[in-house]
Amino acid sequence: MSKVNTRRHDLERNKLSKEKEKPSQSILSKHLKRIYPIGLQRSGSSISSLSSLSLSLSQNSNDSSLTDSTTPLNQKISRALRLIAPSERREAPWAKTVQQQSQDTSTGELRRCNWITKNSDKVYVAFHDECWGVPVYDDNQLFELLAMSGMLMDYNWTEILKRRELYREAFGGFDPNFVAKMGETEITDIASNKAIMLTECRVRCILDNAKCILKIVREFGSFGSYMWGYVNHKPVINRYRYPRNVPLRTPKAEAVSKDLLKHGFRLVGPVIVYSFMQAAGLTIDHLVDCYRYSECVSLAERPWRHI
């Protein structure tokens, strides 16, 4: 009887021991199923399966504790789960590189697009730093940028920007309602102003475009809504590294140009339209190592950008 009792006691003790081990095994299996799609093999132990998991995760991690045999099993599971947790947002490798490249290590100065040089005029640098690529939604501001982009037929950005305040004064802050009502006297005055340096033909183009904008407003609610509709109300974010990669025109600009011409606009060829889209932030063409790139992208991704 003593042998029978001893054997029964041993069986009960083994049974209790196995029951205590079951919860930890089930918990381990539950966690591993979330992160290891192959599942646990019956022939392998929990440690060997976790080692396989650690090996696959080590390609994306520098945490040596995952493969360290001395690390407790529960800590390995916890660290493995943290690595692949869906709630954790990882910064893209290129984003970190861009941030590092946005500052010139030799001089400590902010790095700008390559077409901004030491010889660039201050007004042009300010336009690059404060305006170019910033999303614009106001009708008056869009009208102003469209008019200035049209002036690129005769001048460069620096020459245009130096006379920007004169243009604003002459065209009433580029209010389409004001410009559309201008008569022959105003046209002659502006065309004869040597400081403004706009021919009568160019002045009439701006007046005609103001009238077209008013028609657009009646049809679409606003000129901004009409223009941003071409890009689904979200700026096109490009990732150009070199000036040679930045196009002069795109298929989208050609489509916009064609539609603007259909609505009666003037001085809106594909190259002019693309310059306008760049200036108004409809497309972001700052080079990726320019410090303004990340700033303009952040503005473009604002959840309240349509307001």
Side-chain angles (χ1 to χ4, degrees):
M1 290 296 292
S2 61
K3 291 183 178 180
V4 174
N5 290 336
T6 301
R7 185 177 180 183
R8 182 179 299 174
H9 178 72
D10 291 337
L11 289 173
E12 290 177 353
R13 184 174 60 184
N14 291 336
K15 184 177 180 181
L16 289 172
S17 177
K18 289 181 179 180
E19 288 178 353
K20 290 180 179 179
E21 292 176 359
K22 282 183 180 180
S24 62
Q25 292 176 352
S26 62
I27 292 175
L28 175 63
S29 300
K30 180 180 178 181
H31 285 298
L32 288 178
K33 285 180 181 179
R34 293 172 54 194
I35 57 178
Y36 199 52
I38 298 176
L40 294 175
Q41 302 295 331
R42 290 181 178 271
S43 59
S45 66
S46 301
I47 296 295
S48 62
S49 298
L50 186 60
S51 297
S52 300
L53 167 64
S54 301
L55 179 62
S56 64
L57 290 175
S58 65
Q59 298 176 3
N60 298 318
S61 172
N62 294 323
D63 191 353
S64 60
S65 63
L66 288 175
T67 54
D68 187 357
S69 59
T70 62
T71 304
L73 180 60
N74 61 339
Q75 291 185 20
K76 289 186 177 183
I77 296 174
S78 177
R79 287 170 181 157
L81 289 175
R82 285 201 303 271
L83 282 174
I84 50 78
S87 59
E88 181 180 354
R89 295 185 61 186
R90 300 186 190 180
E91 185 178 21
W94 66 266
K96 186 176 181 180
T97 303
V98 168
Q99 290 177 357
Q100 293 174 345
Q101 293 178 346
S102 64
Q103 187 170 3
D104 192 332
T105 55
S106 61
T107 62
E109 296 180 358
L110 292 172
R111 183 171 296 178
R112 296 178 171 86
C113 296
N114 289 13
W115 51 85
I116 301 295
T117 66
K118 294 181 179 179
N119 297 325
S120 296
D121 193 281
K122 292 182 179 180
V123 69
Y124 185 45
V125 177
F127 181 64
H128 168 273
D129 292 355
E130 301 169 10
C131 303
W132 200 73
V134 175
V136 176
Y137 304 97
D138 180 76
D139 282 6
N140 293 12
Q141 294 178 28
L142 288 170
F143 180 29
E144 177 185 30
L145 291 173
L146 181 63
M148 291 196 300
S149 297
M151 296 175 195
L152 291 171
M153 290 286 291
D154 306 308
Y155 306 107
N156 59 41
W157 272 118
T158 299
E159 294 170 324
I160 295 169
L161 292 168
K162 284 183 176 181
R163 296 190 288 269
R164 190 174 191 175
E165 291 303 322
L166 294 175
Y167 298 143
R168 288 175 173 173
E169 183 179 351
F171 294 103
F174 286 95
D175 180 353
N177 292 284
F178 176 86
V179 178
K181 296 177 182 178
M182 292 173 63
E184 292 298 323
T185 302
E186 289 87 348
I187 294 174
T188 302
D189 290 342
I190 295 174
S192 61
N193 190 330
K194 294 182 180 180
I196 294 179
M197 296 179 64
L198 284 180
T199 63
E200 183 178 326
C201 177
R202 299 297 188 232
V203 176
R204 291 188 183 276
C205 285
I206 295 175
L207 266 64
D208 290 344
N209 287 349
K211 295 175 182 178
C212 292
I213 289 176
L214 295 182
K215 293 179 182 178
I216 291 292
V217 171
R218 287 193 291 269
E219 184 177 354
F220 295 90
S222 70
F223 184 51
S225 178
Y226 166 76
M227 289 305 309
W228 282 96
Y230 283 109
V231 291
N232 296 322
H233 299 278
K234 185 176 182 180
V236 176
I237 302 175
N238 295 313
R239 290 182 57 195
Y240 300 125
R241 292 191 176 275
Y242 307 102
R244 64 175 179 270
N245 300 140
V246 182
L248 291 175
R249 57 195 288 175
T250 63
K252 177 68 69 176
E254 292 173 358
V256 175
S257 171
K258 186 177 180 179
D259 198 42
L260 287 172
L261 289 170
K262 189 184 299 183
H263 281 85
F265 284 83
R266 301 172 65 183
L267 286 180
V268 287
V271 176
I272 289 177
V273 166
Y274 195 65
S275 295
F276 164 68
M277 293 175 68
Q278 291 173 317
L282 288 150
T283 180
I284 296 176
D285 280 356
H286 282 283
L287 301 183
V288 293
D289 61 352
C290 173
Y291 87 98
R292 284 294 290 163
Y293 177 80
S294 59
E295 295 179 354
C296 287
V297 168
S298 297
L299 291 173
E301 294 178 342
R302 294 173 300 180
W304 44 271
R305 60 180 177 269
H306 303 146
I307 300 176

